[in-house]
Amino acid sequence: FDLLPSLGFTAEQIAAADHYVFGSGSLEAFGPVFADDADVAARIVMQAAVEVFTCAPGLIALPLPAQADPGVASRLQSQAARAGLRAVAIEAASFEAAELDLPLVEDLEPRRPRFEPPPVERVVEKIVERDRTRRKLPDRRKGYIQKAAVGGHKVYLHTGEYDDGELGEIFIDMHKEGAAFRSLMNNFAIAISIGLQYGVPLDEFVDAFVFTRFVPAGPVTGNETVRSATTILDYIYPELGISYLGRDDLANADPGELNADGLGQGKGEIAAAEEPQPASRFISRGFSRGAAPDNLVFLPVANRPAGAGALEATDVCAACGDVAVVRKGASLICETCGARAGRLTEDQGG
């Protein structure tokens, strides 16, 4: 005999009374307590009380609004840690893209960097192309002709210069050579001349053709600076480099200049080189058309090194007009004619 059904209680009411009096052994019957809309703080307190009796950590899910900032999640974690929970799960609510309230692109203000970087120097290179124009030589031009022999083969080097003295053309003539070789050298010289007139630097040609090796080659006669060459080109371009570029490093000494005892040839040639030279040796009378007088001479004093006891030139010699007057002891002596400046002054005064 069951009293409660006889009294009119339903099975659900009887089960609820049993749960209330004796307990159910689980929390499934108390689902509304853990509903999704329950207060988060209440859920944290309830979970902490349950873990005390179960002696086991339980994972509780803490809902987070979709538009909440990270600070809200941090506060939930701190609250769960103070309550004694050992494990929590924060679940952010999902939302539709239509719910986003995004500002328009034009309404966005540009974000300024927290620290402005220092300005960086930029090297801007601009390529400027110039028209390749040919610089023509004047119709009446100056230059020189150098005759020499390379390994017994005669070579005539003709040069043409601009008004400022810059090299503008060369011609190469050879003696007793075949027509083919002579024509090749002539056309080679024309090609080099065109390159010079279009602005190719002479030092590029000099570096490209020195130290080439082919016949004819051998000792060079007729040139006082280039005494040996491995080719015709190895003679021509050192000559041009020395004459127009000041490339004294390309000059080579005569192998037979020194004797077996290591001494030179004496002072004869040096003294001859120090003699005053007429201007006609360096200036073309046909080019100048008589502009240079015949009595004009070049004195080699400027290129002559000073002696051990000589000092700077201090005056002009009254006898010869040279500026090689130096002080030796208490007297002023002209190194060109040997006159004493002091004695000349006394004679002129008397």
Side-chain angles (χ1 to χ4, degrees):
F1 179 75
D2 195 353
L3 177 62
L4 293 180
S6 300
L7 294 177
F9 289 99
T10 62
E12 290 79 6
Q13 293 175 347
I14 295 172
D18 290 340
H19 293 165
Y20 180 77
V21 175
F22 303 106
S24 60
S26 66
L27 298 177
E28 295 179 357
F30 301 94
V33 178
F34 296 95
D36 295 337
D37 56 352
D39 184 39
V40 176
R43 298 185 64 180
I44 293 176
V45 174
M46 180 61 72
Q47 183 67 23
V50 170
E51 290 184 359
V52 173
F53 294 96
T54 57
C55 298
L59 185 61
I60 179 175
L62 302 179
L64 189 67
Q67 298 181 354
D69 56 2
V72 177
S74 178
R75 287 192 294 270
L76 288 178
Q77 292 178 356
S78 301
Q79 187 177 358
R82 287 193 299 268
L85 297 183
R86 285 176 282 181
V88 293
I90 299 177
E91 297 179 353
S94 61
F95 52 86
E96 299 294 335
E99 299 178 4
L100 295 176
D101 186 13
L102 298 177
L104 298 178
V105 177
E106 55 269 18
D107 296 339
L108 293 176
E109 295 182 359
R111 298 181 60 184
R112 296 182 180 180
R114 183 177 300 177
F115 300 101
E116 295 183 359
V120 180
E121 295 184 0
R122 295 189 305 167
V123 179
V124 180
E125 296 182 357
K126 184 179 180 182
I127 300 177
V128 180
E129 294 185 359
R130 297 187 304 175
D131 295 336
R132 296 181 177 89
T133 57
R134 183 177 180 180
R135 182 187 176 190
K136 294 185 178 181
L137 286 162
D139 294 336
R140 188 178 182 85
R141 65 203 68 167
K142 59 183 181 295
Y144 71 90
I145 301 175
Q146 174 69 52
K147 175 188 175 182
V150 179
H153 297 260
K154 292 183 181 180
V155 181
Y156 294 86
L157 175 63
H158 302 249
T159 65
E161 303 174 5
Y162 292 99
D163 292 336
D164 56 358
E166 184 179 354
L167 181 64
E169 68 176 1
I170 63 171
F171 291 98
I172 304 172
D173 293 332
M174 300 193 66
H175 184 63
K176 292 184 179 180
E177 299 294 337
F181 186 80
R182 186 167 58 250
S183 300
L184 285 175
M185 296 302 295
N186 288 335
N187 287 275
F188 174 78
I190 293 174
I192 297 300
S193 302
I194 294 176
L196 292 173
Q197 295 172 20
Y198 272 99
V200 180
L202 177 60
D203 53 358
E204 295 292 336
F205 290 120
V206 172
D207 294 336
F209 295 110
V210 293
F211 306 125
T212 54
R213 290 183 176 273
F214 57 85
V215 293
V220 178
T221 58
N223 194 313
E224 66 275 5
T225 56
V226 182
R227 300 299 180 90
S228 64
T230 57
T231 59
I232 298 295
L233 301 183
D234 187 53
Y235 154 70
I236 292 175
Y237 284 96
E239 162 62 25
L240 296 177
I242 296 171
S243 301
Y244 290 98
L245 301 178
R247 293 281 301 272
D248 295 334
D249 57 304
L250 299 176
N252 47 42
D254 187 2
E257 183 178 0
L258 299 179
N259 298 328
D261 55 2
L263 300 178
Q265 298 177 355
K267 197 176 179 181
E269 295 184 359
I270 300 177
E274 292 181 353
E275 294 294 331
Q277 302 294 330
S280 59
R281 180 177 177 182
F282 305 99
I283 299 177
S284 173
R285 178 176 298 182
F287 178 81
S288 61
R289 291 180 176 175
D294 296 336
N295 58 355
L296 181 64
V297 296
F298 287 92
L299 299 177
V301 178
N303 296 330
R304 182 173 55 190
L311 301 177
E312 292 184 354
T314 58
D315 203 348
V316 178
C317 179
C320 63
D322 200 352
V323 293
V325 178
V326 296
R327 181 181 300 275
K328 292 184 179 180
S331 304
L332 296 178
I333 301 175
C334 178
E335 291 189 341
T336 302
C337 63
R340 293 180 177 271
R343 184 174 60 186
L344 289 175
T345 304
E346 293 176 358
D347 293 342
Q348 289 176 359

